[in-house]
Amino acid sequence: MPGIVPHRHCLVCGKAIEPDKNFCSDDCKVAWEKERKRQRNFSLMMLALLMILLFFIIFTPR
Ligand SMILES: [Zn+2]
């Protein structure tokens, strides 16, 4: 189809970029890494909370 070149969109801001790239700029790349780390920390925290909860459920005397 004419007028449509293969391209991707920046994972952060959605700008059209080259197909072999994930981000339009280093700024967006940094922002993405930050967000990913934050999400990982959040998941780890949730997992820890779940373990604690499970621990209490199993070891609480009835
Ligand atoms: Zn971007």
Side-chain angles (χ1 to χ4, degrees):
M1 240 189 271
I4 296 185
V5 283
H7 70 281
R8 300 177 67 166
H9 293 275
C10 173
L11 290 171
V12 176
C13 67
K15 246 192 237 177
I17 47 168
E18 287 167 45
D20 60 334
K21 285 185 183 166
N22 285 325
F23 308 99
C24 66
S25 65
D26 282 347
D27 280 354
C28 278
K29 197 182 161 144
V30 169
W32 179 264
E33 295 290 329
K34 247 190 217 167
E35 179 65 13
R36 219 182 48 176
K37 258 183 215 156
R38 201 184 62 82
Q39 276 178 2
R40 216 184 115 228
N41 284 348
F42 183 74
S43 319
L44 281 175
M45 208 175 70
M46 290 308 273
L47 198 73
L49 272 173
L50 206 73
M51 299 282 256
I52 291 166
L53 199 72
L54 220 79
F55 185 84
F56 274 107
I57 290 169
I58 293 167
F59 292 103
T60 303
R62 278 155 229 265

